[in-house]
Amino acid sequence: MKLWGGRFSGRRDPQFEKFSESFSLDQRFVLYDLRVNLAYVQALRGARVLKPREAALLAAGLNTLARKINRRPNWAKGQSAEDVHTWVEGELARIAGSVAGKLRTGRSRNDLVATEMRMYAKDSALHLMRALADLMEALLHLARGYSSAILPGYTHLQPAQPILFAHYLLAYFEMFSRDCSRLADCRARADELPMGAGALAGTTFPIDRERLAKDLGFARVAGNSLDVTCDRDPAAELVFACALCMVHLSRLAEDLIIYSSPGFGFVELDDAYSTGSSIMPQKKNPDSMELIRGRSGAVLGNLAGLLAIMKGLPSAYDRDLQEDKAAMFAAVDTTLGAVEIAARVAATLRIRPERMKAMTELGFLTATDLADELVRRGAPFSSAHEQVGKLVQHCAALGKTFRHLSAQEASEFVPGWDSHLYEVAKSVERSVARRDVTGGTAPKQVARQLARAEREVAHLRDVLGKVVK
Ligand code: ARG
């Protein structure tokens, strides 16, 4: 079955039919297609294109089809069509007869597919946000459970300053929280109805687009028919939100890969999310995290691919736009899978605070605190920095930590060295506590961040619970 036979009499090439079909991908839209069709039947009735009896017949046929599909998860097996819209019209003709031919009055697959793409984007954003909320909750659970654990903080992956482990976890919370708000934003922008835009110019039938928007759960009607039939911003924004979320996940994955290596040993992944080696019996590899890191590259590729498809297209609809779905489905599926696994890994992660603490002894993490203390005593920061730098050089050459310094030795590099400076050098707890600015790592500040994060997740859950499809 074709929706456009009349103009053609030549032979079809089956190889091109296969090349151009999108049913194998857009069959995922089938329930959206039925829902849009059901609402459109009412719009056509309102426009007096369909008699009430015809509208009832079509609606009954569409409902029968929806029930069939819901009953059979693999309904598409053995089916083929140019696309899902063609398939639905064909099936409807079989159930309801020739009246099915009236359904596509005043519309095009261009406004149809644009509508379904937006419905999919809106739903996918919600699914991703729900999964992200689980991950954020798992991070908060860890932060609450290990609220006093101190981690060596790294810059350039070199020891920098001590931080609370909870502070570290909350940094990822921030990233995933931004991902959620990005998804909510792109959902809000996708929330406008294309139907009624026709192929590009609108329709000659008095379709009540406002009513259609309401019936299909759209916040408003798209204001320009030309734009909306070829606008794939919702797909591009969704894929970008996925790509950036995967970048965040990939960085978390990289941290956990490093932190679970025996040289660090700060965390241990649950056996369920690790794998072994076929030759080395001792191996426990963080494959779950490596796959997330690897797949983030694929999602970045989906984004680049989609933007490249859009670039340079003449307005309005071009068949190139059919290719938006492959990128969008792949990005959403990959990201959803990755967020879900990351949440499970976080929920089952074993934490080794004693290993973190032991590691804070190395790397002269309190060097900045020493320099700051010298500043409090009146030195310019530049000379304080220089003195402490020389002290570190001395210790490093002898393989010592600050703890092993004698007062006499230290005062060769830092004039005025006393027991207070020695305490400053030794105590990572004090170093952490001193960073008492908003957003800093002091326990008081981190407790505030944690409380704010908890309120935020509760609010997110609340909002997600209230969204009606
Ligand atoms: N399968 C097409 C797509 O996904 C539907 C729109 C086709 N429209 C057209 N005029 N050929 O983009």
Side-chain angles (χ1 to χ4, degrees):
M1 182 206 176
K2 287 266 175 269
L3 302 180
W4 40 264
R7 165 74 176 74
F8 295 85
S9 51
R11 190 182 70 85
R12 305 295 311 162
D13 181 345
Q15 195 166 340
F16 175 62
E17 301 289 291
K18 197 161 170 247
F19 179 78
S20 62
E21 68 85 29
S22 61
F23 181 73
S24 51
L25 272 181
D26 62 22
Q27 54 179 252
R28 290 172 65 153
F29 282 171
V30 73
L31 291 177
Y32 297 129
D33 198 81
L34 292 173
R35 197 174 155 201
V36 175
N37 278 331
L38 265 172
Y40 196 65
V41 163
Q42 297 315 318
L44 287 178
R45 196 177 66 121
R48 302 189 182 280
V49 172
L50 291 176
K51 299 190 183 78
R53 190 180 44 84
E54 292 175 320
L57 209 61
L58 286 177
L62 289 164
N63 281 322
T64 305
L65 205 46
R67 273 195 302 276
K68 265 195 195 164
I69 285 162
N70 281 321
R71 229 181 296 128
R72 288 189 40 218
N74 59 350
W75 61 272
K77 208 169 161 220
Q79 301 290 313
S80 67
E82 186 179 309
D83 55 28
V84 69
H85 326 292
T86 307
W87 185 84
V88 165
E89 196 175 318
E91 291 300 299
L92 190 60
R94 233 187 286 197
I95 298 171
S98 60
V99 66
K102 294 195 172 188
L103 182 60
R104 71 174 125 109
T105 311
R107 77 170 194 207
S108 155
R109 281 177 295 168
N110 299 355
D111 56 351
L112 193 56
V113 76
T115 303
E116 292 165 21
M117 180 272 286
R118 278 171 173 70
M119 292 166 93
Y120 170 84
K122 283 171 59 187
D123 283 349
S124 299
L126 284 183
H127 294 151
L128 286 162
M129 285 164 77
R130 292 210 171 91
L132 279 166
D134 289 344
L135 172 57
M136 287 153 79
E137 240 158 38
L139 294 177
L140 291 188
H141 186 78
L142 281 176
R144 228 178 291 123
Y146 294 90
S147 58
S148 58
I150 295 180
L151 181 76
Y154 300 90
T155 62
H156 312 262
L157 203 55
Q158 299 293 324
Q161 291 169 353
I163 52 175
L164 283 189
F165 180 54
H167 192 215
Y168 163 81
L169 294 168
L170 284 163
Y172 280 98
F173 180 95
E174 293 286 331
M175 296 177 223
F176 298 129
S177 157
R178 287 197 298 275
D179 290 331
C180 276
S181 84
R182 229 180 317 276
L183 287 163
D185 286 353
C186 86
R187 187 174 188 279
R189 268 188 297 278
D191 207 3
E192 50 184 45
L193 176 83
M195 285 307 286
L200 72 165
T203 168
T204 58
F205 298 94
I207 297 294
D208 183 347
R209 296 186 75 197
E210 278 68 27
R211 173 76 199 275
L212 250 185
K214 202 156 164 266
D215 288 351
L216 291 174
F218 283 95
R220 58 194 178 277
V221 170
N224 183 305
S225 62
L226 195 61
D227 168 46
V228 79
T229 45
C230 64
D231 167 29
R232 292 298 181 272
D233 289 7
E237 287 193 40
L238 180 63
V239 176
F240 172 71
C242 285
L244 194 50
C245 177
M246 287 301 289
V247 168
H248 296 149
L249 283 173
S250 181
R251 296 187 70 177
L252 175 63
E254 174 70 357
D255 275 352
L256 294 184
I257 289 164
I258 292 169
Y259 292 170
S260 66
S261 162
F264 287 77
F266 300 164
V267 300
E268 188 184 340
L269 264 65
D270 193 83
D271 283 2
Y273 305 105
S274 311
T275 51
S277 153
S278 61
I279 177 172
M280 298 166 283
Q282 87 282 13
K283 294 285 280 177
K284 178 175 171 180
N285 297 328
D287 291 30
S288 50
M289 294 293 105
E290 291 167 351
L291 286 168
I292 287 176
R293 190 178 57 189
R295 286 181 192 167
S296 68
V299 178
L300 301 194
N302 297 144
L303 177 63
L306 180 57
L307 294 175
I309 288 167
M310 298 304 301
K311 169 194 169 299
L313 285 188
S315 57
Y317 182 86
D318 302 279
R319 191 65 178 271
D320 315 46
L321 293 175
Q322 176 168 294
E323 303 303 298
D324 63 349
K325 283 171 278 298
M328 195 171 53
F329 293 160
V332 170
D333 291 347
T334 306
T335 307
L336 198 53
V339 175
E340 285 171 358
I341 289 299
R344 284 158 189 251
V345 167
T348 54
L349 196 64
R350 256 185 300 282
I351 309 299
R352 307 255 186 257
E354 70 293 346
R355 291 280 312 184
M356 296 176 191
K357 180 71 202 297
M359 200 74 134
T360 62
E361 288 291 320
L362 305 178
F364 309 103
L365 295 174
T366 53
T368 316
D369 298 81
L370 276 179
D372 287 352
E373 184 56 24
L374 296 177
V375 166
R376 268 179 217 105
R377 294 178 180 190
F381 187 78
S382 52
S383 52
H385 188 288
E386 185 70 16
Q387 287 173 9
V388 178
K390 290 285 178 229
L391 184 66
V392 168
Q393 189 182 45
H394 168 80
C395 291
L398 298 178
K400 287 187 176 191
T401 69
F402 284 150
R403 189 176 293 280
H404 303 113
L405 275 175
S406 71
Q408 193 195 355
E409 200 178 7
S411 52
E412 270 178 48
F413 302 94
V414 181
W417 183 268
D418 59 11
S419 63
H420 179 67
L421 281 174
Y422 185 58
E423 278 308 313
V424 169
K426 268 195 327 190
S427 174
V428 288
E429 286 80 7
R430 284 204 208 177
S431 165
V432 164
R434 243 180 252 119
R435 284 170 171 75
D436 193 11
V437 291
T438 304
T441 204
K444 200 172 84 192
Q445 298 295 341
V446 174
R448 277 173 60 185
Q449 289 179 47
L450 186 56
R452 184 167 52 75
E454 275 168 348
R455 284 196 299 275
E456 199 184 306
V457 176
H459 177 70
L460 180 63
R461 289 270 189 224
D462 198 41
V463 171
L464 288 174
K466 279 187 190 136
V467 179
V468 277
K469 278 197 178 177

